[in-house]
Amino acid sequence: MIEFNRVGKSYGGVRALDDVSFTVGAGSITGFLGPNGAGKSTAMRVLAGLSRPSSGAATVLGRPYAELDRPGSQVGVLLDASAQHPGRTGREVLTLGAMMLGLPASRVDEVLDLVGLTGQEARRRVGGYSLGMRQRLGVGHALLGRPRVLVLDEPANGLDPQGIRWMRGLLRGLAEAGCAILLSSHLLHEVEQVADRIVMIGRGRVLAQGTLAELGRGRSLEQLFLDLTATTDRSPA
C-alpha cells in the first residue's frame, strides 16, 4: 500500500535521499528508523506530496499522494503535531478537518473518544496543550477519514508511559483491521514492541530492512541500530 521505488531527493548539492526502496503492506506496521539527519522526514514529506522526488517515485495505494481522490479519506498523515493552530480549540481543529472531508459532526466526538481527549480538554485552545495532548490531537486528525494508510512521524513523542501503551494498542488494532502504517520514532523499545518490519536509513540510504528476527540475529533493536549507524558514521561521506 506504500511503495518507495528508488527515490532520490537532492537539495542543491546535498543528496538527502539516495535510491530509497521499500514497501509497507496492508495490515502491517513498519518502523522507519535512523539518526537525526538520516532522511526520514524528507522521505515522509515526499510520500505525503509535500516535496517532489528528484528521481524515482513514492506511491500510496498505487498512486502519488497528490493524485489520490480525496486523499485525506484514504491516507492519514501526522508529520508535525506542533503545526496545529494554537488559537483554535481541539474540537475546532477536528471539526474543520471533518468539514473538509465531508464527515458528520458525530465523527469528531468519535475521534476525541478514540484518542482520549475529554470534552473539557477539547474545549481548550491548542496553544495551551501539552506536547502529549498535541500528539493525541494530531493522531485524531489523521484518523478522521478512517484511512487505509497511516504515515506517522514521532507520534509517541511527549506521551507518558500510559499514553505510550495506549498508542501501542491503537496502532496494533488499526493494523489488525487492515491499515498499512509507516511509523518513524526514536523510541526504539516501542518500535520493537509494535512493528512487524523495520527499515533503517542513514545518510539518505537504506541500511537494512526486514523483520527484527531477520535483522537482529539475537541483538536488540537498540544494538542493531547502534551497530548500523556506527558503520555508516565510519564510511566516507
Side-chain angles (χ1 to χ4, degrees), residues 50-165:
L50 298 174
S51 184
R52 288 189 177 185
S54 303
S55 58
T59 58
V60 190
L61 300 169
R63 301 169 67 183
Y65 181 89
E67 296 180 11
L68 292 172
D69 181 34
R70 299 179 70 227
S73 64
Q74 301 188 65
V75 185
V77 179
L78 172 61
L79 298 184
D80 184 2
S82 65
Q84 298 149 355
H85 195 298
R88 295 195 177 111
T89 67
R91 178 174 288 278
E92 286 171 345
V93 168
L94 294 180
T95 298
L96 287 170
M99 291 172 63
M100 292 178 65
L101 293 174
L103 300 172
S106 59
R107 180 58 181 161
V108 173
D109 291 311
E110 291 171 359
V111 166
L112 286 169
D113 183 61
L114 181 63
V115 300
L117 288 174
T118 67
Q120 182 178 6
E121 289 168 338
R123 290 190 293 272
R124 289 174 53 187
R125 296 190 187 278
V126 174
Y129 275 16
S130 67
L131 177 56
M133 291 172 66
R134 284 175 181 260
Q135 294 288 16
R136 287 176 182 266
L137 181 63
V139 171
H141 196 276
L143 293 175
L144 273 171
R146 297 183 176 88
R148 298 163 59 194
V149 176
L150 277 177
V151 180
L152 305 175
D153 192 2
E154 301 286 359
N157 192 24
L159 293 179
D160 59 20
Q162 181 180 2
I164 290 174
R165 287 193 297 272

Side-chain angles (χ1 to χ4, degrees), residues 35-51:
N36 291 336
K40 301 187 304 297
S41 294
T42 299
M44 287 184 148
R45 287 180 61 82
V46 167
L47 183 63
L50 298 174
S51 184

Side-chain angles (χ1 to χ4, degrees), residues 167-189:
M167 180 69 71
R168 186 192 305 167
L170 175 68
L171 295 180
R172 283 273 27 124
L174 290 167
E176 289 170 4
C179 193
I181 302 172
L182 179 61
L183 169 67
S184 170
S185 178
H186 68 281
L187 300 174
L188 300 184
H189 177 69

Side-chain angles (χ1 to χ4, degrees), residues 29-33 191-192 195-200 208-212 215 221 224:
I29 302 173
T30 293
F32 193 34
L33 307 176
V191 173
E192 193 170 27
D196 303 297
R197 293 182 60 82
I198 303 294
V199 175
M200 289 198 175
Q209 58 178 304
T211 66
L212 185 57
L215 298 176
L221 182 55
L224 175 63

